[in-house]
Amino acid sequence: MAPTPAKYALVSLPLSTFDTGDKQEALDSLKTTISPENGNVLPFPVPNFKIGTLDALVQQADDLAKLNPACEGVVSKVSDSLRSLYEGNEDKASEQKMVNDKPTDQYLRSFTWNKVRYRADRPVGELIDILQKELATIDNDVKTKFNQYNQVKTNLAALQRKQTGNLATKSLTPIVDPSLLVQDSEYLETHLVAVPTNLKKEYLKSYETISPMVVPRSSIQVAQDDEFVLFAVTTFKKHSAEFQQKCREHKWTPRQYKYVEGGKEEEQRELDRVTREEKKVWGEALRLTRTGWSESVMIWAHVMALRVFVESVLRYGLPLEFVSALVLTNAKLLKKVKAALDSSYSYLGGNAFGRDKRGRITKDDAALTSEMAAAGLGHADANEYTAYVYYEFEL
């Protein structure tokens, strides 16, 4: 049975929710609320960034809500590229998914804001712009290199088919004896025709009469495999096109071939060259895709940290007193995590949330719309609105 995929939830709550203003004690309380059976609660430290105007914060929340799915899309594409490089082997692909030389899960568990790369004293809008540009660069770099690899891989496959295919598709250079061909004649031309094995008798009976001026008894069997028999047959040049067309109508395959001295050796050299190139570009694509995974996941984590900060300011106001946490769980237990959080913190939604006669959490959609507008939270978001800052994601 396949393991249950890991799911993550980011949560932010105002410190005023807890009996103490201490963040560690607030995290301990949050662990109790969720319970270890449902998920592992870890600190997700978010710096205190520069705060601009309310209008700027609302715009930044919008920008981050749009940037988040872009990050998810790039991470997903990079993951698909890694899997493709390993011919669909998920285990081998997963071994390459490191972030800053750590397994992805470990990186998220121990996340800290990269203050060297993204100085926390920069305006939030500027940080969003930097992250957006870096994400676009990673996406473009991985896409370009992977397209290059796919082209080389396609070229190699075509050359290999020439070596290993049937007589209707493979290269005829190592098969055809040039002495069988009429060469340097002003009037005559030799055609090579791949005839399906089951049509061989029909071919021998009719090839002389399917078009004018086929040289009688000129057909010679050149080679045979499990599917086709290759014949050489001579016609007058002025009727060559008609002869080839009639062959196609009879489901015989005319093969294009021109003798070139040293052609066999040249084909082998080309195959060897493209084989080496494929290995080289595969290695380059792997290195760049590994980097792409590390960079895109790191960018996404920083985007989510900014989202937590901006949403927390919009919802909880000033001073900046909130605790943020990462919940590691799985798809089956995520609903229980959410239910436990709703049960304890839905009152933060004011009139937008209430309880029914059985004490279950309910939402008043009209009041919810009003609360969101008052909080400046009218921007689009794939996550359902909650009474507290809450985002789900998976890697």
Side-chain angles (χ1 to χ4, degrees):
M1 183 181 294
T4 305
K7 295 274 279 188
Y8 300 90
L10 275 175
V11 183
S12 168
L13 294 161
L15 281 176
S16 59
T17 304
F18 303 94
D19 295 333
T20 174
D22 181 76
K23 287 191 176 183
Q24 185 55 52
E25 290 184 18
L27 279 169
D28 291 340
S29 178
L30 192 56
K31 290 177 183 178
T32 302
T33 298
I34 290 174
S35 88
E37 292 80 17
N38 293 330
N40 188 9
V41 178
L42 300 162
F44 191 82
V46 176
N48 288 337
F49 299 101
K50 280 186 175 182
I51 300 172
T53 63
L54 176 60
D55 286 346
L57 281 170
V58 172
Q59 182 59 53
Q60 288 155 7
D62 270 332
D63 293 342
L64 288 164
K66 293 171 185 173
L67 184 53
N68 190 73
C71 291
E72 185 176 6
V74 172
V75 168
S76 178
K77 283 188 283 186
V78 172
S79 179
D80 289 344
S81 296
L82 273 172
R83 194 182 305 110
S84 180
L85 286 171
Y86 282 104
E87 306 291 341
N89 189 319
E90 188 66 57
D91 291 338
K92 286 188 176 180
S94 295
E95 290 173 4
Q96 306 301 323
K97 292 181 177 180
M98 308 287 281
V99 183
N100 289 354
D101 298 323
K102 298 178 183 177
T104 302
D105 182 70
Q106 186 181 335
Y107 170 77
L108 291 171
R109 286 169 176 264
S110 58
F111 174 80
T112 55
W113 184 269
N114 188 334
K115 294 181 180 179
V116 175
R117 188 162 170 176
Y118 311 110
R119 280 172 30 207
D121 60 352
R122 289 176 180 266
V124 171
E126 192 175 316
L127 290 169
I128 293 172
D129 190 49
I130 291 169
L131 290 164
Q132 199 163 21
K133 287 177 180 176
E134 286 187 355
L135 183 72
T137 299
I138 288 296
D139 186 28
N140 185 63
D141 288 350
V142 172
K143 191 185 302 180
T144 300
K145 179 57 70 174
F146 198 69
N147 287 343
Q148 181 192 355
Y149 170 68
N150 278 336
Q151 184 60 56
V152 174
K153 186 179 177 183
T154 299
N155 294 344
L156 178 60
L159 289 171
Q160 289 173 334
R161 279 196 301 273
K162 284 185 177 182
Q163 300 288 324
T164 60
N166 58 43
L167 287 169
T169 59
K170 72 190 301 182
S171 170
L172 299 181
T173 301
I175 296 171
V176 177
D177 184 342
S179 65
L180 298 174
L181 307 177
V182 176
Q183 300 184 58
D184 303 322
S185 170
E186 186 178 350
Y187 301 106
L188 298 176
E189 181 176 13
T190 302
H191 302 277
L192 294 167
V193 184
V195 178
T197 305
N198 62 335
L199 299 179
K200 178 180 177 180
K201 288 184 179 179
E202 178 193 330
Y203 164 82
L204 291 172
K205 286 181 181 179
S206 58
Y207 80 89
E208 294 178 348
T209 57
I210 62 171
S211 74
M213 305 192 78
V214 176
V215 177
R217 300 183 182 179
S218 63
S219 182
I220 300 171
Q221 182 171 322
V222 178
Q224 182 171 358
D225 61 22
D226 293 338
E227 299 174 68
F228 292 89
V229 183
L230 184 69
F231 290 99
V233 59
T234 304
T235 71
F236 278 73
K237 284 184 177 180
K238 66 179 181 179
H239 291 285
S240 289
E242 183 181 354
F243 176 78
Q244 291 180 345
Q245 179 57 36
K246 292 296 183 181
C247 284
R248 295 187 186 95
E249 291 175 7
H250 282 75
K251 298 182 180 179
W252 312 334
T253 305
R255 295 297 312 277
Q256 298 298 318
Y257 173 76
K258 184 176 182 180
Y259 172 71
V260 177
E261 190 172 352
K264 180 178 178 180
E265 292 76 11
E266 178 58 33
E267 279 191 0
Q268 187 59 50
R269 283 194 294 271
E270 178 66 5
L271 177 62
D272 293 343
R273 183 190 70 77
V274 177
T275 299
R276 291 192 299 272
E277 185 182 5
E278 191 268 348
K279 289 180 180 178
K280 173 176 171 287
V281 178
W282 183 89
E284 292 171 354
L286 177 61
R287 286 190 293 274
L288 189 55
T289 308
R290 286 176 62 184
T291 301
W293 175 265
S294 177
E295 291 289 297
S296 59
V297 171
M298 186 210 42
I299 289 168
W300 193 11
H302 283 73
V303 166
M304 287 188 285
L306 278 175
R307 291 193 82 189
V308 168
F309 175 81
V310 171
E311 295 285 351
S312 296
V313 175
L314 284 172
R315 291 178 191 241
Y316 311 143
L318 299 174
L320 296 174
E321 294 180 350
F322 62 89
V323 61
S324 50
L326 176 72
V327 183
L328 172 59
T329 182
N330 60 49
K332 290 182 178 179
L333 295 175
L334 189 59
K335 287 183 179 179
K336 291 184 177 181
V337 170
K338 183 68 167 53
L341 290 168
D342 283 344
S343 179
S344 295
Y345 307 115
S346 62
Y347 69 88
L348 293 169
N351 295 330
F353 291 81
R355 293 181 183 271
D356 62 16
K357 292 180 180 179
R358 296 184 180 181
R360 294 175 300 192
I361 303 299
T362 60
K363 283 191 292 185
D364 181 336
D365 290 336
L368 176 58
T369 302
S370 175
E371 292 281 341
M372 289 176 69
L377 297 169
H379 53 273
D381 193 348
N383 287 275
E384 182 183 1
Y385 181 79
T386 54
Y388 45 89
V389 177
Y390 177 86
Y391 300 115
E392 297 175 2
F393 67 100
E394 62 181 307
L395 286 168

